[in-house]
Amino acid sequence: GKPTPPRRRTSVGTKRRPTTKAPLVAPPTFVAATICRAQETNEDAFSPLAVPERCRGAEAATRPWFKHVGLDTLFPGAGLGEVFDESSEFRAALRRAAREDRCDTSSPVRFDMTSSAQGSWFSRRPAAATHGVLREALGASAPTGDEFYAKIGGLTLDGVAPRTGHFIDIVGGPGSRRLARYAWHQDRGGDTEAVTVMLGFPAASRQRGCGVFSHVSPLSHLVVHEADAERDNSRPREFSDERGERRFLDVDAIPEASIVRPGYGRGRELIVYSDARVVHSAPDAIHRESLWRFM
């Protein structure tokens, strides 16, 4: 008979080269300290953020908009800079004393140190708890509690100091748990005299670098906003689509060259900035215990 034709080879039953898949790898653990140490402050090489012509006010970039201040400069001879830098116990006691002396007595989170709490830095209540903490750490050279808050709140930029009296001890934020998106805004952007002071509480003693203070982006010009005509200078500007403010300033694409990350360290425990001449945001990576804000 006829020879049997060879069977057609098919893929069924043939030996295949084994496929190798990369093993599943867990995403790298978020370590804020590592990220913040690698960040550049950009304090000396920034480019002002260009404000669109349609909403430009007076030129802002030529006026003072930001500076560092050291605790030893503010309280010379007291030794405050050293103990603040070296002692986590002192910093914790100082935060708790501030909540006793300067935060709202009716606040349910007044002594919950894991939550933000606010009040007034020029409260009429004597700052007895703060004075006790300072005196125990610094001895006779310590300022009184009232002097402590008055000197910090009295810091000036271009001859102007904070004036609303608002005080807050800010705790947490998305950037403390993951790399967060910026939320650029102004607290009182229509108020050209608005000045903010911040005192940073680091996550660890002798800490240096980014992640403590808010990040800021200096503006080329003041932003002329429709609220200015209504003389409503107190409301925040979030430049969001929801509030119709994106047409004034698009803050979703601020270039890296326009972002300043103020560095923290000994002699750089405080920053002062003009709220109208910058937009600011919580850091994308937060490495701090808390942040005091005086307005």
Side-chain angles (χ1 to χ4, degrees), residues 71-72 79-92 137-138 200-208 264-267 269:
L71 286 171
D72 285 335
L80 182 55
E82 180 179 359
V83 70
F84 193 89
D85 192 43
E86 297 284 341
S87 174
S88 59
E89 292 80 9
F90 171 76
R91 295 191 301 272
L138 305 175
F201 284 75
S205 295
R206 296 174 292 281
Q207 183 175 325
R208 307 290 185 264
Y264 174 89
R266 177 78 184 271
E269 299 92 353

Side-chain angles (χ1 to χ4, degrees), residues 45-295:
F46 64 88
S47 300
L49 179 64
V51 174
E53 290 187 13
R54 64 180 179 276
C55 54
R56 281 184 182 177
E59 192 170 356
T62 57
R63 299 282 301 280
W65 58 273
F66 161 83
K67 68 178 180 180
H68 276 96
V69 178
L71 286 171
D72 285 335
T73 301
L74 195 57
F75 301 98
L80 182 55
E82 180 179 359
V83 70
F84 193 89
D85 192 43
E86 297 284 341
S87 174
S88 59
E89 292 80 9
F90 171 76
R91 295 191 301 272
L94 190 59
R95 285 186 60 217
R96 187 169 182 85
R99 289 178 176 235
E100 183 170 338
D101 291 336
R102 288 298 180 260
C103 289
D104 295 337
T105 57
S106 59
S107 171
V109 296
R110 183 182 176 197
F111 294 116
D112 177 2
M113 306 307 288
T114 63
S115 298
S116 300
Q118 58 189 328
S120 171
W121 60 266
F122 52 50
S123 169
R124 293 183 179 181
R125 299 200 314 267
T130 304
H131 181 59
V133 170
L134 293 170
R135 185 64 184 250
E136 181 178 352
L138 305 175
S141 64
T144 68
D146 293 327
E147 290 169 344
F148 178 71
Y149 295 112
K151 279 211 166 189
I152 296 175
L155 282 169
T156 63
L157 184 72
D158 205 17
V160 181
R163 59 184 184 178
T164 71
H166 185 260
F167 169 81
I168 184 169
D169 179 25
I170 302 170
V171 180
S176 59
R177 302 182 299 275
R178 54 180 168 78
L179 200 62
R181 290 188 62 186
Y182 284 119
W184 300 104
H185 62 284
Q186 294 176 318
D187 292 316
R188 296 173 60 88
D191 184 356
T192 58
E193 300 293 296
V195 168
T196 298
V197 175
M198 291 180 166
L199 172 62
F201 284 75
S205 295
R206 296 174 292 281
Q207 183 175 325
R208 307 290 185 264
C210 305
V212 175
F213 296 120
S214 295
H215 293 177
V216 294
S217 180
L219 301 174
S220 64
H221 297 76
L222 299 181
V223 178
V224 178
H225 193 281
E226 59 188 8
D228 298 342
E230 303 164 7
R231 301 190 183 280
D232 180 12
N233 294 335
S234 62
R235 79 173 194 174
R237 294 176 177 173
E238 297 174 358
F239 302 108
S240 63
D241 285 331
E242 292 79 9
R243 296 179 62 158
E245 295 175 338
R246 187 64 54 83
R247 66 185 185 277
F248 294 99
L249 194 64
D250 186 352
V251 295
D252 280 345
I254 293 182
E256 173 67 22
S258 297
I259 298 175
V260 175
R261 303 174 181 85
Y264 174 89
R266 177 78 184 271
R268 298 161 64 88
E269 299 92 353
L270 299 122
I271 64 169
V272 189
Y273 65 85
S274 164
D275 193 63
R277 296 176 205 149
V278 307
V279 289
H280 67 276
S281 171
D284 51 354
I286 294 175
H287 186 49
R288 68 189 181 207
E289 190 69 30
S290 78
L291 184 69
W292 283 6
R293 186 185 70 190
F294 294 69
M295 293 179 63

